[in-house]
Amino acid sequence: MPLSRRDFAKRSAYTGAGVALVGSAGVLATAPGALAVEPGGVDAAAEAAVGRRLGYGPLVPDPKGILALPAGFSYRIITHSGVTRLESGETTPSNHDGTATFDGPRGTTLLVNNHELKGPRHKWPRPVPLAEGLVYDPAASGGCTVVEVSKHGDHVTEWVGIAGTSTNCAGGRTPWGTWLTCEENTDRAGQNGMTKDHGYVFEVDPYDRRANLDPQPIKALGRYEHEAVVVDTRRGHFYLTEDAAGPNGLLYRWTPPHDFRPGRGWLRGLADDAGVLKAAQCFDSGGNFVDDLSRATRTGTVYGVDWVEVPDRDARTVPVRRQFADGQVTRARKLEGMWWADGGAYVVASYAREESPVAHDGQVWFYDPRRRTLTLKVLLGGDTEAGKDGAFDGPDNITVSPYGGLVIAEDGEGLQHLFGATDDGRTYPIARNDLNIGTAEEPEFSEFTGVVFAPDGRTLFANIQDPGIMLAITGPWRRQRRES
């Protein structure tokens, strides 16, 4: 049953649901679980007053010029595009992106790694190899590789999971142990050299190579600029983000058909129109429609969420996000990574600029399916000091840490970091990309992607997208406790 604007306003007024309108600073400051990140990063004096050290200390420059880490931490290079090799002999493809980890055989860890390569293969020196039986569109350059890492953290082997897909950006791990890889590109057959339509989600099984043969798009999840996906482990809904502009993208929910049985192989057998795909429609506690998530300018802001059915999910004539009139759906620029934890979905909006009603440098939202609410947990200030390890912007891939709070991959201006955000609003650096792919006069540092912990929580994996390096970070991890 949809949550009406009137019901949401009434519940907010009479049940103390923790709803705060934008601008209600007194309420927002004490919103339960809100992560408030102010411009300028951590207040060292406040930390000293509490008497508890936040994070792991300052980052130590890497003499190898790759990854700066706190003292006591170390890293290993697991894959390196153009250097490490697949079991078939080709070098590792470039442009690492979304990644998931799985328990492997004999204590190993398996990782499925997206390669965000757009357009025809001749544009890239190291596209995903066209492994026999694993190709969707032989003209496309992207795909996934599966990496095996030993229990000691050493690279064991790497092989192709899927090839011939386009712009594999993020994705999501399923509860049944597979990876959903998302195409952030909607080229049609005959466009940009492609021989098949793109803009779909594909399933990759890290355990059963035969299950990946003859890859088929999951058309029931829609055709648009897919970014990430998570699965509600209790209700079975899929939530998906769209990274697009002109107009801004949407947050989607797919409800499976009644006969759907979650597990390996079921997605491949779905009809193209199976289930129901809907887009989010948000409204504030006064019942007012919210046209864009950038309207929220204070952490703790809570919106009620309803869902509006997509008319043509395969976008045969009109892109999905353009099928809605003004006032029907809520949009956001750069909807990026997602992570399912704490009974809901963490959703990243990387930034907003002139294409949006209000500019910001990054948001992290939490969707609670039980309450049908979307709460702003993180709001990032500007990275005004490009050489500083504390003013973060441009969140992208995200994971929930076994040590509390979030770990976020930065894709912003200036320096690029992995950083943590505690559940009471403090941030701290975990790593910095020291690999300069620009010049000494005009340094440039690629974004971090694919941040995810190993299943045992001891190793944090992350990628430097350009040139394409997968890293394994270990050290004295400890729980980041709430400020007293």
Side-chain angles (χ1 to χ4, degrees), residues 244-249 321-322 331:
N248 286 345
R321 69 185 183 280
R322 295 179 184 169
R331 303 183 183 278

Side-chain angles (χ1 to χ4, degrees), residues 18-33:
V19 176
L21 287 174
V22 173
S24 302
V27 178
L28 295 172
T30 58

Side-chain angles (χ1 to χ4, degrees), residues 126-213:
R126 288 180 290 279
V128 177
L130 298 178
E132 184 176 359
L134 299 174
V135 180
Y136 170 66
D137 180 351
S141 51
C144 298
T145 54
V146 183
V147 182
E148 184 176 338
V149 179
S150 75
K151 61 182 179 181
H152 304 296
D154 299 313
H155 173 276
V156 176
T157 188
E158 182 180 12
W159 63 92
V160 173
I162 188 173
T165 50
S166 179
T167 325
N168 299 68
C169 199
R173 191 187 194 280
T174 68
W176 49 91
T178 61
W179 170 249
L180 299 177
T181 183
C182 295
E183 290 189 305
E184 191 192 330
N185 176 265
T186 54
D187 284 345
R188 287 286 198 185
Q191 187 177 11
N192 293 326
M194 299 297 102
T195 66
K196 291 187 177 181
D197 292 347
H198 292 271
Y200 295 114
V201 178
F202 296 79
E203 187 171 29
V204 177
D205 193 325
Y207 299 106
D208 184 357
R209 302 194 194 194
R210 293 172 299 176
N212 299 326
L213 293 172

Side-chain angles (χ1 to χ4, degrees), residues 34 60 127 171 219 298 302 308 371 449 461:
V60 180
K219 293 188 175 182
R298 296 288 187 273
V302 182
V308 183
R371 295 177 59 206
T449 64
F461 293 95

Side-chain angles (χ1 to χ4, degrees), residues 203-391:
E203 187 171 29
V204 177
D205 193 325
Y207 299 106
D208 184 357
R209 302 194 194 194
R210 293 172 299 176
N212 299 326
L213 293 172
D214 186 26
Q216 298 296 318
I218 308 168
K219 293 188 175 182
L221 300 181
R223 193 182 74 84
Y224 48 89
E225 281 87 348
H226 284 274
E227 177 69 31
V229 55
V230 296
V231 181
D232 183 335
T233 55
R234 180 178 178 183
R235 299 163 187 82
H237 293 132
F238 287 44
Y239 295 92
L240 308 102
T241 51
E242 179 182 29
D243 182 1
N248 286 345
L250 304 175
L251 173 64
Y252 298 93
R253 184 188 72 183
W254 179 74
T255 302
H258 293 299
D259 61 349
F260 180 72
R261 297 292 180 269
R264 285 180 166 81
W266 276 85
L267 291 174
R268 178 181 283 258
L270 285 173
D272 293 352
D273 61 351
V276 180
L277 183 67
K278 296 185 176 184
Q281 178 193 66
C282 298
F283 45 93
D284 65 25
S285 61
N288 302 301
F289 170 71
V290 179
D291 61 340
D292 196 284
L293 292 181
S294 68
R295 296 285 187 188
T297 59
R298 296 288 187 273
T299 54
T301 299
V302 182
Y303 293 144
V305 181
D306 206 348
W307 298 92
V308 183
E309 187 166 354
V310 171
D312 173 20
R313 73 181 81 179
D314 203 50
R316 287 182 289 269
T317 58
V318 179
V320 171
R321 69 185 183 280
R322 295 179 184 169
Q323 294 173 24
F324 298 97
D326 291 343
Q328 282 191 287
V329 291
T330 300
R331 303 183 183 278
R333 180 71 175 103
K334 294 293 291 180
L335 285 170
E336 296 273 1
M338 305 180 77
W339 195 267
W340 184 268
D342 305 323
Y346 289 91
V347 183
V348 172
S350 190
Y351 64 79
R353 295 292 183 264
E354 64 278 356
E355 77 291 322
S356 303
V358 181
H360 64 74
D361 286 313
Q363 299 174 328
V364 181
W365 295 83
F366 180 76
Y367 178 70
D368 184 338
R370 183 180 63 84
R371 295 177 59 206
R372 288 174 285 175
T373 56
L374 198 60
T375 303
L376 183 58
K377 294 286 188 176
V378 176
L379 179 62
L380 293 178
D383 187 1
T384 56
E385 299 183 52
K388 183 178 179 182
D389 289 328

Side-chain angles (χ1 to χ4, degrees), residues 76 94 225 344 413 477:
R76 294 189 183 197
S94 64
E225 281 87 348
E413 300 295 330
W477 303 108

